[in-house]
């Protein structure tokens, strides 16, 4: 199956879709400066040793939490300040989600890549605003979307004269608090743009913990190895030094102290899979 026509410039210094592996990683939500710095510094050190390009990820607002009583945000201005500080102190590019088109301009002043959440991948105004920002745009495939239909989301970005768009696979939902990853979706979507595999959201159990989302992180290595072998251009992994006490998505995050070995494992398989994809 034919791949996308050309790599994209995900950030100023990172190309996605060539012979180099890219990682988007960080905590699910911005909890505070110290923990963001700890994660960013740790992952930067790991990826530097492994030859992986790294973009720090953290969400400034969890707008789609199962329950309104769950943690959402420390506040927009404080979250942006923390992201700026991470970029300044650690020297890594940034990616974060945008949920509404009016957020795009302010967020684009701080981060290098805008991410469109899976539930919002059909929202034309949001996609167009993200495309017009001139930043790289990562669109997560909706849990309800056929992989071949993601070409239309890609086209909405490219119609703004922004070619720097990629897609992320994160599983499909059949209800009953479960997600299923169909590995056929990877080569299908890779026809339209470079593709990232979201390791940790693929093992999430939405709403599966009685008003909050559960997760089965024990299956993350299996799905990551399968995606690496199938052929992808990067990985999205949420990580935390203490997942049990994380404010969002703890059950599916990879513990920070296990991440280096995890990356080494999938990197070795990715080298082989990339040669045949």
């Amino acid at each position: 199956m034919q791949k996308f026509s050309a790599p994209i410039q995900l950030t100023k210094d990172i190309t996605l879709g060539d012979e180099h592996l890219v990682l988007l990683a960080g905590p699910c939500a911005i909890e505070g400066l110290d923990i963001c710095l700890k994660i960013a510094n740790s992952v930067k050190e790991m990826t530097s040793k492994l030859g992986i390009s790294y973009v720090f990820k953290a969400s400034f607002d969890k707008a789609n939490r199962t329950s309104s009583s769950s943690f959402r945000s420390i506040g927009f201005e404080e979250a942006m300040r923390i992201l700026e500080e991470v970029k300044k102190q650690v020297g890594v590019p940034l990616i974060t989600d945008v949920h509404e088109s009016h957020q795009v301009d302010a967020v684009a002043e701080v981060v290098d890549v805008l991410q469109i959440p899976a539930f919002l991948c059909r929202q034309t105004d949001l996609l167009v605003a993200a495309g017009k920002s001139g930043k790289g745009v990562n669109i997560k495939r909706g849990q309800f979307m056929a992989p071949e239909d993601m070409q239309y989301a890609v086209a909405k970005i490219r119609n703004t004269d922004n070619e720097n768009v990629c897609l992320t696979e994160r599983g499909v939902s059949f209800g009953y608090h479960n997600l299923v990853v169909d590995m056929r979706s990877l080569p299908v979507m890779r026809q339209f743009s470079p593709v990232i595999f979201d390791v940790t959201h693929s093992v999430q159990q939405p709403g599966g913990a009685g008003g909050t989302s559960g997760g089965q992180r024990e299956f993350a290595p299996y799905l990551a190895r399968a995606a690496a072998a199938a052929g992808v251009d990067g990985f999205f992994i949420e990580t935390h030094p203490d997942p049990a006490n994380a404010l969002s998505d703890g059950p599916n995050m990879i513990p920070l102290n296990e991440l280096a070995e995890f990356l080494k494992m999938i990197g070795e398989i990715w080298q082989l899979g990339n040669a045949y994809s």
Side-chain angles (χ1 to χ4, degrees):
M1 190 171 285
Q2 188 173 357
K3 284 202 309 186
F4 51 86
S5 58
I8 68 163
Q9 203 65 37
L10 185 65
T11 74
K12 179 182 177 182
D13 299 315
I14 296 177
T15 301
L16 180 69
D18 58 10
E19 303 303 310
H20 200 71
L21 183 60
V22 176
L23 174 69
L24 315 180
C28 179
I30 297 171
E31 300 178 6
L33 178 59
D34 288 348
I35 195 165
C36 284
L37 288 173
K38 176 180 176 65
I39 293 170
N41 276 308
S42 297
V43 181
K44 182 183 179 182
E45 182 179 356
M46 297 172 199
T47 52
S48 295
K49 291 178 180 177
L50 294 169
I52 298 171
S53 296
Y54 174 46
V55 182
F56 176 79
K57 177 271 166 189
S59 297
F60 68 84
D61 182 18
K62 303 305 297 181
N64 60 351
R65 297 304 301 271
T66 303
S67 170
S68 60
S69 63
S70 296
F71 171 81
R72 275 191 60 170
S73 173
I74 62 173
F76 181 81
E77 292 184 1
E78 177 65 5
M80 291 299 108
R81 184 191 70 81
I82 288 172
L83 286 174
E84 286 184 303
E85 199 63 26
V86 169
K87 189 172 188 177
K88 177 182 176 181
Q89 291 194 35
V90 186
V92 289
L94 309 171
I95 180 171
T96 196
D97 312 88
V98 286
H99 300 90
E100 300 182 52
S101 55
H102 69 77
Q103 298 173 334
V104 168
D105 288 345
V107 175
E109 290 182 4
V110 176
V111 307
D112 303 271
V113 187
L114 299 172
Q115 182 164 279
I116 307 298
F119 285 127
L120 301 178
C121 69
R122 287 174 58 105
Q123 297 299 102
T124 300
D125 289 347
L126 179 59
L127 290 166
V128 169
K132 287 181 176 179
S133 74
K135 300 289 185 176
V137 181
N138 177 33
I139 310 172
K140 288 197 165 186
R141 175 162 81 100
Q143 298 91 328
F144 45 85
M145 291 285 287
E148 57 268 26
D149 288 345
M150 291 305 295
Q151 64 182 297
Y152 306 112
V154 169
K156 290 176 183 180
I157 302 297
R158 291 187 174 146
N159 286 341
T160 68
D161 296 322
N162 185 344
E163 295 294 322
N164 296 319
V165 55
C166 61
L167 296 170
T168 289
E169 169 61 38
R170 52 129 326 135
V172 293
S173 176
F174 295 94
Y176 306 103
H177 310 304
N178 201 18
L179 294 167
V180 176
V181 178
D182 182 351
M183 292 296 164
R184 295 175 299 179
S185 67
L186 302 176
V188 169
M189 293 196 299
R190 224 171 172 211
Q191 296 175 97
F192 318 130
S193 77
V195 168
I196 293 167
F197 181 65
D198 184 340
V199 175
T200 45
H201 283 103
S202 292
V203 297
Q204 186 187 59
Q205 294 178 305
T212 61
S213 291
Q216 296 176 306
R217 78 165 62 93
E218 65 270 24
F219 291 112
Y222 301 98
L223 292 181
R225 289 197 294 263
V232 291
D233 304 285
F235 289 90
F236 177 108
I237 300 175
E238 289 185 338
T239 185
H240 195 282
D242 185 12
N245 290 302
L247 297 181
S248 178
D249 277 1
N252 47 271
M253 285 200 277
I254 305 299
L256 186 61
N257 64 357
E258 298 177 13
L259 185 60
E261 284 302 311
F262 193 95
L263 293 175
K264 184 176 183 292
M265 170 193 70
I266 60 176
E268 291 172 352
I269 298 171
W270 180 83
Q271 291 288 351
L272 181 61
N274 200 46
Y276 288 94
S277 62

